[in-house]
Amino acid sequence: MTALTRLRLTDFRSHASLDLKLDTRPVCLWGSNGAGKTNVLEAISQLGPGRGLRAAALPEMTRHDATSGWTISATLDEDRKLGVGLDSTGNGNKRVVRLDGAPATATDLADLIRIVWLTPAMDSVFRGGASERRRFFDRQVMAHIPSHGSVSNRYEKAMRERNALLERGRVDPAWADAIEGRMAEAGAIIASNRARILIALQDAINDRPEGFFPKGDLALEGDAEKLASEDASLFDVQDLIAEQLAKGRYRDQAAGRTLSGPHRTDLSVIHRPTGAAAGDASTGQQKALLIGLILASARALNADGNGPSPLILLDEAAAHLDRDRRAALFDELIELGGQAWLTGTEEFLFEAFGDRAQRVEITANPD
Ligand SMILES: Nc1ncnc2c1ncn2[C@@H]1O[C@H](COP(=O)(O)OP(=O)(O)O)[C@@H](O)[C@H]1O
Ligand SMILES: [Mg+2]
């Protein structure tokens, strides 16, 4: 069981100071539009790896009138004290992490807490471009493998160097080899992480109960992931990426960007009940499919034995579901066991939880 039993925010977005004392049941945050409910979920997401639920830069999350940075402190399962914050006192902005009152790292927190989320911004994931789907999938990978984000950063950094090198015109082959070698090394890890989590996710999808949230069939469309899923060694995947990059130098020089590699991979999702591509399903079907995917992601984390059961953040998920679907969602969340955090504008949306969940009204801070 992983649950937050207390959550305190200072100067985080609209919240000058918020202190929630909780039990381990799911938490239903309700209140009017703009009250600061999503801000609370975003704050929780800062306890995990990466940039969090809105992918915001650190200073963006500081309350507008605040004189220094923001802090988030959480009590986990009664005894562990987790803290993250933005220190903007010196020059520059520094993310600080604390565990049980002492300085710590994001990796320390990653051993204790895992988080998945679904937000209205993800609604367009099946209709949008490959980059949106890739980001969505990488988010799930990062929940399983916290280092996935830093490997991706290493890859992107090397790619920017390669693009800059190609842009300069005459390319020193040894230099290009070295940069592409670094891209291939990070890229192979990215591809094998993705291939592994795809299997875990698909298994969890298949294990989910049948019902209102339909199942999807997932595939990664990328050469490196395809090879990684065929049990090739990391070196083989690395060689493939390096080879394609070397071959593509002139093409990429003309294009002004890198046209091969795992940063181009797409996630294909088939809506199983109809056999259609998820992007062609109705808006309602896409939403239901997405909820099913997030529930599967949480289920996969429960099953992997590598860490605590995840917190599940569902922003505005209940509002668009009819009564029966809401009840089915709540039942599945209870069955999953990790503490779920839900938001909605009306308290009645959470009726079907009965006393299996706690309600917290969020009101805007009076300025
Ligand atoms: N850095 C910030 N400082 C102060 N207020 C902010 C900041 N960022 C967002 N807000 C405010 O937070 C409010 C939105 O909060 P949000 O959590 O999205 O509301 P909701 O309850 O509808 O989910 C808006 O009024 C917005 O102006
Ligand atoms: Mg909101």
Side-chain angles (χ1 to χ4, degrees), residues 9-13 15 42-43 46-47 56-63 66 68-72 83-88 94-96:
L9 313 183
T10 56
D11 289 332
F12 187 88
R13 296 245 187 223
H15 300 288
E42 186 186 28
Q46 297 302 315
L47 298 168
L58 295 171
E60 214 181 303
M61 294 180 280
T62 303
R63 191 173 61 90
S68 65
W70 48 267
T71 66
I72 299 161
V84 291
L86 169 64
D87 180 359
S88 51
K94 215 174 80 210
R95 186 190 177 88
V96 286

Side-chain angles (χ1 to χ4, degrees), residues 33-34 36-39 54 120 315-316 343:
N33 287 322
K37 304 177 296 294
T38 304
N39 293 344
R54 284 191 177 107
D315 196 17
E316 301 291 342
T343 65

Side-chain angles (χ1 to χ4, degrees), residues 97-178:
V97 179
R98 295 180 74 77
L99 180 58
D100 299 328
T105 66
T107 313
D108 297 327
L109 298 195
D111 292 335
L112 296 173
I113 188 168
R114 302 197 288 179
I115 308 167
V116 297
W117 60 74
L118 181 67
T119 70
M122 292 172 175
D123 284 357
S124 61
V125 69
F126 299 128
R127 267 169 290 131
S131 66
E132 218 180 313
R133 272 183 299 280
R134 193 170 51 245
R135 222 175 305 127
F136 170 80
F137 184 71
D138 277 336
R139 212 22 265 172
Q140 313 313 313
V141 176
M142 222 200 287
H144 286 78
I145 308 172
S147 62
H148 189 68
S150 55
V151 181
S152 303
N153 291 342
R154 258 201 290 147
Y155 177 88
E156 300 276 335
K157 183 162 175 272
M159 183 165 71
R160 282 195 298 275
E161 282 178 48
R162 179 176 183 270
N163 290 345
L165 180 71
L166 294 182
E167 200 184 340
R168 253 177 272 155
R170 287 183 66 91
V171 174
D172 174 358
W175 197 346
D177 280 346

Side-chain angles (χ1 to χ4, degrees), residues 44-363:
I44 295 170
S45 74
Q46 297 302 315
L47 298 168
R51 280 154 60 108
L53 183 141
R54 284 191 177 107
L58 295 171
E60 214 181 303
M61 294 180 280
T62 303
R63 191 173 61 90
H64 291 143
D65 298 330
T67 48
S68 65
W70 48 267
T71 66
I72 299 161
S73 22
T75 306
L76 188 69
D77 300 333
E78 306 291 351
D79 54 348
R80 306 305 301 266
K81 302 253 192 289
L82 278 53
V84 291
L86 169 64
D87 180 359
S88 51
T89 45
N91 39 7
N93 291 300
K94 215 174 80 210
R95 186 190 177 88
V96 286
V97 179
R98 295 180 74 77
L99 180 58
D100 299 328
T105 66
T107 313
D108 297 327
L109 298 195
D111 292 335
L112 296 173
I113 188 168
R114 302 197 288 179
I115 308 167
V116 297
W117 60 74
L118 181 67
T119 70
M122 292 172 175
D123 284 357
S124 61
V125 69
F126 299 128
R127 267 169 290 131
S131 66
E132 218 180 313
R133 272 183 299 280
R134 193 170 51 245
R135 222 175 305 127
F136 170 80
F137 184 71
D138 277 336
R139 212 22 265 172
Q140 313 313 313
V141 176
M142 222 200 287
H144 286 78
I145 308 172
S147 62
H148 189 68
S150 55
V151 181
S152 303
N153 291 342
R154 258 201 290 147
Y155 177 88
E156 300 276 335
K157 183 162 175 272
M159 183 165 71
R160 282 195 298 275
E161 282 178 48
R162 179 176 183 270
N163 290 345
L165 180 71
L166 294 182
E167 200 184 340
R168 253 177 272 155
R170 287 183 66 91
V171 174
D172 174 358
W175 197 346
D177 280 346
I179 295 176
E180 288 165 1
R182 277 162 43 219
M183 282 180 74
E185 191 253 342
I189 298 172
I190 294 171
S192 69
N193 286 349
R194 285 178 182 158
R196 180 152 72 82
I197 298 313
L198 187 91
I199 293 171
L201 208 51
Q202 190 67 61
D203 285 348
I205 290 170
N206 297 341
D207 280 349
R208 280 194 50 246
E210 302 291 339
F212 289 122
F213 304 107
K215 299 185 177 189
D217 290 303
L218 313 182
L220 287 166
E221 292 171 353
D223 293 340
E225 286 82 1
K226 189 163 185 300
L227 186 61
S229 70
E230 289 161 357
D231 274 337
S233 77
L234 215 49
F235 293 114
D236 291 336
V237 181
Q238 204 169 314
D239 285 347
L240 174 79
I241 297 170
E243 202 177 296
Q244 290 185 341
L245 287 170
K247 242 193 293 180
R249 276 177 208 167
Y250 289 111
R251 176 201 60 195
D252 293 352
Q253 197 161 32
R257 61 203 171 98
T258 300
L259 295 176
S260 70
H263 65 287
R264 306 272 294 173
T265 296
D266 197 356
L267 172 73
S268 124
V269 181
I270 302 292
H271 180 255
R272 193 182 289 177
T274 59
D280 294 334
S282 76
T283 310
Q285 284 173 330
Q286 290 185 32
K287 181 89 189 173
L289 190 59
L290 202 50
I291 292 176
L293 265 179
I294 291 301
L295 292 169
S297 195
R299 183 175 286 264
L301 287 164
N302 269 345
D304 73 0
N306 290 333
S309 56
L311 301 183
I312 307 166
L313 314 180
L314 299 175
D315 196 17
E316 301 291 342
H320 305 286
L321 302 173
D322 60 42
R323 262 179 91 88
D324 291 345
R325 281 181 174 75
R326 283 204 296 272
L329 172 63
F330 300 163
D331 287 346
E332 195 165 339
L333 290 173
I334 294 289
E335 191 229 304
L336 276 170
Q339 191 181 40
W341 287 70
L342 300 95
T343 65
T345 48
E346 313 287 344
E347 192 177 9
F348 82 84
L349 290 167
F350 305 109
E351 219 164 54
F353 264 126
D355 61 8
R356 298 175 299 171
Q358 57 203 310
R359 279 86 169 156
V360 177
E361 183 179 6
I362 300 292
T363 49

